[in-house]
Amino acid sequence: MTQVENDVAPETKAASGTLIAVVGPSGVGKDSLMDIARHHFAGRDDLRFVRRVITRAEDAVGEDHHAVTSDAFQDLLKSGAFAVSWQAHGLGYGIPADVYDDLAAGHVVIANGSRSALDAFHAAFAHLVVVNVTARPEILAKRLASRGRETAADIEARLARSSEPLPLHLHIVTIDNSGELDLAAKELVTLIEGLLHKR
């Protein structure tokens, strides 16, 4: 079960930049979409893709992250090093508090988030856009099965969680990644370009 550990770092919410929290069930393609966007915007100094702090091995399969031990994570949490942090599937996840510097400068910040931590994201960031990446249940089930990591029961549970509604008070943009990855990535790139243009 996912559990939010803290709501907001000591910094204030006041900032002119926008944080984009990308959420969606495992296997939906969040990392792939963000990787395409990262390469598309390479070299821009007004856009940051957050490297999360995670309590898992540095060489673990998945996103590029800053690996720490559970004890180190707790020390960082107590020192106010995170803007938002949460626990999921036995791991600790943290968004570094230095994202406030980017937001104060009016930049766009993109982070891989969690559906269960969205209220904490909302409390932490004055300008928040949630990108909810989805895929049709049969597509998502096929992708999860092809990975060979989960049992049929695990997959069924993930599909059930993915259908749970998001908080209605948030600014949510839904991207359907059931089809071609490039098409969904184009939607994310277009959204980011629009936010950068509004700065």
Side-chain angles (χ1 to χ4, degrees):
M1 175 131 182
T2 304
Q3 180 179 4
V4 178
E5 289 188 320
N6 69 322
D7 287 335
V8 188
E11 291 82 352
T12 65
K13 288 178 56 173
S16 58
T18 298
L19 187 129
I20 301 172
V22 181
V23 302
S26 180
V28 81
K30 299 186 302 292
D31 291 333
S32 297
L33 292 176
M34 292 178 69
D35 283 343
I36 292 174
R38 183 182 293 108
H39 285 99
H40 179 87
F41 292 105
R44 293 196 65 138
D45 59 7
D46 56 353
L47 176 65
R48 174 181 174 184
F49 286 82
V50 175
R51 188 169 182 245
R52 296 193 296 183
V53 177
I54 308 177
T55 58
R56 68 180 172 203
E58 191 77 50
D59 59 356
V61 176
E63 71 182 274
D64 177 31
H65 65 286
H66 178 59
V68 298
T69 64
S70 295
D71 288 343
F73 188 91
Q74 290 302 317
D75 289 341
L76 290 168
L77 178 62
K78 291 174 183 176
S79 70
F82 299 133
V84 178
S85 67
W86 64 96
Q87 292 279 338
H89 311 296
L91 298 174
Y93 295 82
I95 303 298
D98 64 6
V99 298
Y100 287 118
D101 296 334
D102 298 277
L103 296 171
H107 299 169
V108 173
V109 176
I110 304 171
N112 196 335
S114 170
R115 292 164 59 95
S116 63
L118 285 179
D119 281 337
F121 273 82
H122 178 64
F125 305 112
H127 305 289
L128 174 68
V129 175
V130 178
V131 172
N132 180 34
V133 183
T134 66
R136 296 194 302 275
E138 66 274 17
I139 298 294
L140 188 56
K142 184 177 180 181
R143 290 176 183 169
L144 290 171
S146 69
R147 301 192 313 182
R149 300 181 199 169
E150 294 98 350
T151 65
D154 291 335
I155 291 174
E156 185 176 348
R158 285 189 180 277
L159 293 175
R161 287 195 299 270
S162 70
S163 64
E164 295 174 358
L166 296 179
L168 296 177
H169 60 275
L170 300 177
H171 177 187
I172 299 170
V173 176
T174 298
I175 295 179
D176 187 344
N177 192 31
S178 299
E180 294 294 328
L181 179 64
D182 287 347
L183 293 177
K186 185 177 180 181
E187 291 187 50
L188 179 58
V189 167
T190 299
L191 170 65
I192 296 169
E193 286 177 338
L195 293 171
L196 289 169
H197 182 71
K198 290 179 181 179
R199 292 184 332 107

